Amino acid sequence: MSRLIVVSNRVPVPEKGKAAPAGGLAVALQAALKERGGIWMGWSGKSSGDEETSELTTIVDGKITYALTDLTDRDVEEYYHGFANRVLWPTFHYRIDLADYGRREMSGYFRVNRFFAQRLAPMLEPDDIIWVQDYHLIPLANELRQMGVKNRIGFFLHIPLPPADVLLAMPVYDKIIEGLAQYDLVGFQTDYDLANFVGALVREGIGEALEDGYFKSHNRIFKTGAYPISIETAAFANYAKRAVNNAMVKKAATSIVGHDLVIGVDRLDYSKGLPQRLDAYERFILANPAYQGNVSYLQVTPKSRSEVPEYEAMQRQLAEQAGRVNGELGTVDWVPIRYMTRSVARPILAGLYRLAKVGLVTPMRDGMNLVAKEYVAAQDPEDPGVLILSRFAGAARELKSALLINPYDIEGVANAIARALSMPLEERKERWQKMMDHLLVHDVTEWCNNFMDDLTHVPQKGDHAALAT
């Protein structure tokens, strides 16, 4: 069996005495690496200041070698904070108004990808299979190809891909599309994202469609597909069941006795629609006075990219918004919104999901959103909660028994909260069962296996005669 080489921006390195990283992606990729043996390479998360790091730091854990590299301050600013998070992230989330393009940052993005390729190439063996993760590393295959690497290389985009009219607003859109065409297999979260890529590829004359998901571009033939990422469903359901006995979860349960709990869990980001969600909850409370004092909303939003001024401002805005609602509507014995910026351990989070009668997942745009799937998996089969889900999250393509909403429609979201809280048990159970049955089959292991199986069987150069004619 060929070795697997995973490349991602960050690498979840196991630490002695600590449990392995919990989470769908890390769990699935580590399982695949343990089966095949191989390397997981990426940025260490550390800066080397002004000096470029010459050697990789390697950590061997059984059949897996973790290969880490530091980046210079300049690299971090231009590649990571600059082009990846100020251009690609907003553009791919349909927010071209927030994209801040600069040629220096663009050059840094491609330079760091070349740097990664130069560090990776010497470690490769001829039959290794390479799987590159996410938007930070789109040009990596092209850099490896220019160095003569002929291995099978796959790429998976974890975030959305917008339609051509949005994508083409980015000054180097053609380099991004051409970069994706250098892979043997390009995977997207949903059929919508795949269709957007195909539309841009063909419309701009960068590639032509063949058959069965294959395309030709610059004398190369590659395959595309939709591979919706998921969670380790059964394991997460067990987390939630066991979490009932956790001291922190018990304390939370005691604090909401007599109240219904609504929960939202999101990383701090403008794509998550958090101000609109708080507005919708406030609208719900004002329109349904019977629920005043009888429902609590817990919003868990760990800080992210706190060194970026825009995110720090967003943090202040949300805290002020939650404080205003609590000040205007709260009473001595009732706080309408509990707003947390601390991280919560995943097993405890599973317990909180299970306590919540409503899960609010209302991003303005999301590649998948695994919180939606975790909420469903965590529910008590005898008394499940209701998932309210943005139709602009990739998860909405699968979890069709959720209450699907338009996050831009504040009143519509408020009405959905009221409907969810009053939904009869039989309807809740029926909706939940359909979603849970789907997630038990389509879990993260299936996602990983499907992608790896397709990548392993993609014809390589010289085997494309039938497709190319």
Short mmCIF file of all heavy atoms in Angstrom, two decimals, residues 384-417:
data_model
loop_
_atom_site.label_atom_id
_atom_site.label_comp_id
_atom_site.label_asym_id
_atom_site.label_seq_id
_atom_site.Cartn_x
_atom_site.Cartn_y
_atom_site.Cartn_z
N PRO A 384 -35.13 14.52 21.42
CA PRO A 384 -34.13 15.30 20.67
C PRO A 384 -34.52 16.76 20.52
O PRO A 384 -35.71 17.12 20.51
CB PRO A 384 -34.13 14.60 19.30
CG PRO A 384 -35.51 14.03 19.16
CD PRO A 384 -35.92 13.63 20.54
N GLY A 385 -33.49 17.59 20.40
CA GLY A 385 -33.71 19.00 20.12
C GLY A 385 -33.92 19.23 18.63
O GLY A 385 -33.91 18.29 17.83
N VAL A 386 -34.08 20.50 18.27
CA VAL A 386 -34.36 20.89 16.89
C VAL A 386 -33.19 21.72 16.36
O VAL A 386 -32.74 22.66 17.01
CB VAL A 386 -35.65 21.71 16.80
CG1 VAL A 386 -35.93 22.14 15.35
CG2 VAL A 386 -36.83 20.91 17.35
N LEU A 387 -32.72 21.34 15.18
CA LEU A 387 -31.64 22.09 14.52
C LEU A 387 -32.23 23.14 13.61
O LEU A 387 -33.04 22.84 12.72
CB LEU A 387 -30.77 21.13 13.71
CG LEU A 387 -29.68 21.77 12.84
CD1 LEU A 387 -28.65 22.49 13.71
CD2 LEU A 387 -29.01 20.72 11.97
N ILE A 388 -31.84 24.40 13.84
CA ILE A 388 -32.17 25.51 12.92
C ILE A 388 -30.91 25.78 12.12
O ILE A 388 -29.86 26.09 12.68
CB ILE A 388 -32.62 26.76 13.69
CG1 ILE A 388 -33.91 26.47 14.46
CG2 ILE A 388 -32.81 27.94 12.75
CD1 ILE A 388 -34.36 27.63 15.35
N LEU A 389 -31.00 25.65 10.80
CA LEU A 389 -29.80 25.64 9.96
C LEU A 389 -29.93 26.57 8.77
O LEU A 389 -30.93 26.54 8.05
CB LEU A 389 -29.57 24.20 9.46
CG LEU A 389 -28.38 23.94 8.54
CD1 LEU A 389 -27.06 24.32 9.20
CD2 LEU A 389 -28.36 22.48 8.10
N SER A 390 -28.90 27.37 8.57
CA SER A 390 -28.85 28.25 7.41
C SER A 390 -28.78 27.44 6.13
O SER A 390 -27.99 26.50 6.01
CB SER A 390 -27.61 29.15 7.51
OG SER A 390 -27.35 29.78 6.26
N ARG A 391 -29.58 27.84 5.16
CA ARG A 391 -29.54 27.15 3.87
C ARG A 391 -28.25 27.47 3.11
O ARG A 391 -27.96 26.88 2.09
CB ARG A 391 -30.76 27.51 3.02
CG ARG A 391 -30.91 28.96 2.65
CD ARG A 391 -32.15 29.19 1.78
NE ARG A 391 -33.38 28.83 2.48
CZ ARG A 391 -34.08 27.71 2.24
NH1 ARG A 391 -33.65 26.83 1.36
NH2 ARG A 391 -35.19 27.47 2.90
N PHE A 392 -27.45 28.41 3.64
CA PHE A 392 -26.18 28.76 3.01
C PHE A 392 -24.99 28.04 3.65
O PHE A 392 -23.84 28.36 3.37
CB PHE A 392 -25.97 30.27 3.04
CG PHE A 392 -27.08 31.03 2.35
CD1 PHE A 392 -27.77 32.03 3.02
CD2 PHE A 392 -27.45 30.71 1.06
CE1 PHE A 392 -28.80 32.72 2.40
CE2 PHE A 392 -28.49 31.38 0.43
CZ PHE A 392 -29.16 32.39 1.10
N ALA A 393 -25.26 27.08 4.52
CA ALA A 393 -24.22 26.19 5.04
C ALA A 393 -24.22 24.92 4.20
O ALA A 393 -25.29 24.42 3.81
CB ALA A 393 -24.49 25.85 6.50
N GLY A 394 -23.03 24.39 3.94
CA GLY A 394 -22.97 23.16 3.15
C GLY A 394 -23.77 22.04 3.77
O GLY A 394 -24.32 21.18 3.06
N ALA A 395 -23.87 22.02 5.10
CA ALA A 395 -24.60 20.96 5.80
C ALA A 395 -26.07 20.92 5.41
O ALA A 395 -26.71 19.87 5.54
CB ALA A 395 -24.46 21.15 7.31
N ALA A 396 -26.60 22.03 4.92
CA ALA A 396 -28.01 22.06 4.52
C ALA A 396 -28.28 21.16 3.32
O ALA A 396 -29.43 20.76 3.09
CB ALA A 396 -28.43 23.49 4.21
N ARG A 397 -27.25 20.81 2.55
CA ARG A 397 -27.43 19.90 1.42
C ARG A 397 -27.69 18.48 1.89
O ARG A 397 -28.17 17.65 1.11
CB ARG A 397 -26.19 19.92 0.52
CG ARG A 397 -25.87 21.27 -0.10
CD ARG A 397 -26.92 21.69 -1.10
NE ARG A 397 -26.94 20.82 -2.27
CZ ARG A 397 -28.04 20.50 -2.94
NH1 ARG A 397 -29.21 20.96 -2.53
NH2 ARG A 397 -27.97 19.74 -4.01
N GLU A 398 -27.37 18.18 3.16
CA GLU A 398 -27.57 16.84 3.71
C GLU A 398 -28.64 16.80 4.78
O GLU A 398 -29.46 15.88 4.81
CB GLU A 398 -26.26 16.33 4.29
CG GLU A 398 -25.12 16.18 3.30
CD GLU A 398 -23.86 15.74 4.00
OE1 GLU A 398 -23.68 14.53 4.19
OE2 GLU A 398 -23.05 16.62 4.36
N LEU A 399 -28.65 17.78 5.68
CA LEU A 399 -29.54 17.77 6.83
C LEU A 399 -30.85 18.48 6.48
O LEU A 399 -31.18 19.55 7.02
CB LEU A 399 -28.85 18.41 8.03
CG LEU A 399 -27.50 17.79 8.42
CD1 LEU A 399 -26.91 18.49 9.62
CD2 LEU A 399 -27.64 16.30 8.67
N LYS A 400 -31.60 17.88 5.58
CA LYS A 400 -32.78 18.54 5.03
C LYS A 400 -33.98 18.49 5.97
O LYS A 400 -35.00 19.13 5.71
CB LYS A 400 -33.12 17.91 3.68
CG LYS A 400 -32.01 18.14 2.65
CD LYS A 400 -32.32 17.54 1.30
CE LYS A 400 -31.16 17.79 0.33
NZ LYS A 400 -31.40 17.22 -1.01
N SER A 401 -33.87 17.75 7.08
CA SER A 401 -34.96 17.71 8.05
C SER A 401 -34.78 18.76 9.15
O SER A 401 -35.60 18.85 10.07
CB SER A 401 -35.06 16.31 8.68
OG SER A 401 -35.45 15.37 7.71
N ALA A 402 -33.71 19.53 9.07
CA ALA A 402 -33.57 20.68 9.96
C ALA A 402 -34.58 21.74 9.55
O ALA A 402 -35.17 21.68 8.46
CB ALA A 402 -32.15 21.22 9.87
N LEU A 403 -34.78 22.74 10.41
CA LEU A 403 -35.55 23.92 10.00
C LEU A 403 -34.60 24.81 9.22
O LEU A 403 -33.73 25.47 9.80
CB LEU A 403 -36.10 24.66 11.23
CG LEU A 403 -37.18 23.96 12.05
CD1 LEU A 403 -37.66 24.86 13.18
CD2 LEU A 403 -38.36 23.54 11.18
N LEU A 404 -34.72 24.81 7.90
CA LEU A 404 -33.82 25.58 7.05
C LEU A 404 -34.29 27.03 6.98
O LEU A 404 -35.46 27.30 6.70
CB LEU A 404 -33.74 24.96 5.66
CG LEU A 404 -33.21 23.53 5.61
CD1 LEU A 404 -33.17 23.03 4.17
CD2 LEU A 404 -31.83 23.43 6.25
N ILE A 405 -33.35 27.95 7.21
CA ILE A 405 -33.72 29.38 7.27
C ILE A 405 -32.77 30.21 6.41
O ILE A 405 -31.69 29.76 6.02
CB ILE A 405 -33.71 29.91 8.72
CG1 ILE A 405 -32.36 29.63 9.41
CG2 ILE A 405 -34.83 29.28 9.53
CD1 ILE A 405 -31.30 30.67 9.22
N ASN A 406 -33.20 31.42 6.13
CA ASN A 406 -32.38 32.43 5.47
C ASN A 406 -31.82 33.35 6.55
O ASN A 406 -32.57 34.08 7.19
CB ASN A 406 -33.23 33.22 4.49
CG ASN A 406 -32.47 34.37 3.83
OD1 ASN A 406 -31.30 34.62 4.13
ND2 ASN A 406 -33.13 35.08 2.94
N PRO A 407 -30.51 33.33 6.81
CA PRO A 407 -29.95 34.11 7.93
C PRO A 407 -30.07 35.62 7.74
O PRO A 407 -29.90 36.37 8.70
CB PRO A 407 -28.49 33.66 7.96
CG PRO A 407 -28.19 33.21 6.57
CD PRO A 407 -29.46 32.60 6.07
N TYR A 408 -30.35 36.05 6.51
CA TYR A 408 -30.55 37.48 6.27
C TYR A 408 -31.95 37.93 6.69
O TYR A 408 -32.22 39.12 6.81
CB TYR A 408 -30.35 37.80 4.79
CG TYR A 408 -28.94 37.58 4.30
CD1 TYR A 408 -28.54 36.36 3.79
CD2 TYR A 408 -27.99 38.60 4.37
CE1 TYR A 408 -27.23 36.14 3.35
CE2 TYR A 408 -26.68 38.40 3.93
CZ TYR A 408 -26.31 37.17 3.42
OH TYR A 408 -25.03 36.96 2.98
N ASP A 409 -32.86 36.98 6.89
CA ASP A 409 -34.24 37.26 7.27
C ASP A 409 -34.36 37.16 8.80
O ASP A 409 -34.62 36.08 9.34
CB ASP A 409 -35.16 36.25 6.58
CG ASP A 409 -36.63 36.45 6.93
OD1 ASP A 409 -36.96 37.41 7.66
OD2 ASP A 409 -37.46 35.61 6.48
N ILE A 410 -34.16 38.27 9.49
CA ILE A 410 -34.13 38.28 10.95
C ILE A 410 -35.45 37.79 11.53
O ILE A 410 -35.48 36.95 12.44
CB ILE A 410 -33.82 39.70 11.48
CG1 ILE A 410 -32.50 40.23 10.90
CG2 ILE A 410 -33.79 39.71 12.99
CD1 ILE A 410 -31.30 39.38 11.21
N GLU A 411 -36.55 38.27 10.98
CA GLU A 411 -37.86 37.85 11.49
C GLU A 411 -38.11 36.37 11.22
O GLU A 411 -38.69 35.66 12.05
CB GLU A 411 -38.97 38.69 10.85
CG GLU A 411 -40.34 38.44 11.45
CD GLU A 411 -41.38 39.43 10.97
OE1 GLU A 411 -40.99 40.45 10.35
OE2 GLU A 411 -42.57 39.20 11.22
N GLY A 412 -37.65 35.89 10.06
CA GLY A 412 -37.81 34.48 9.74
C GLY A 412 -37.06 33.58 10.72
O GLY A 412 -37.55 32.52 11.12
N VAL A 413 -35.84 33.99 11.12
CA VAL A 413 -35.08 33.21 12.09
C VAL A 413 -35.76 33.25 13.46
O VAL A 413 -35.85 32.24 14.15
CB VAL A 413 -33.63 33.74 12.20
CG1 VAL A 413 -32.85 32.96 13.26
CG2 VAL A 413 -32.91 33.63 10.85
N ALA A 414 -36.28 34.43 13.83
CA ALA A 414 -37.01 34.55 15.10
C ALA A 414 -38.21 33.62 15.12
O ALA A 414 -38.48 32.94 16.13
CB ALA A 414 -37.45 36.00 15.30
N ASN A 415 -38.93 33.55 14.01
CA ASN A 415 -40.10 32.66 13.94
C ASN A 415 -39.68 31.19 14.01
O ASN A 415 -40.39 30.36 14.58
CB ASN A 415 -40.87 32.92 12.65
CG ASN A 415 -41.55 34.27 12.63
OD1 ASN A 415 -41.78 34.88 13.69
ND2 ASN A 415 -41.87 34.78 11.45
N ALA A 416 -38.52 30.88 13.42
CA ALA A 416 -38.03 29.50 13.46
C ALA A 416 -37.69 29.09 14.90
O ALA A 416 -37.92 27.94 15.29
CB ALA A 416 -36.81 29.35 12.56
N ILE A 417 -37.13 30.01 15.69
CA ILE A 417 -36.83 29.71 17.09
C ILE A 417 -38.12 29.38 17.84
O ILE A 417 -38.20 28.40 18.59
CB ILE A 417 -36.09 30.88 17.77
CG1 ILE A 417 -34.73 31.11 17.11
CG2 ILE A 417 -35.92 30.62 19.27
CD1 ILE A 417 -34.01 32.37 17.58
#
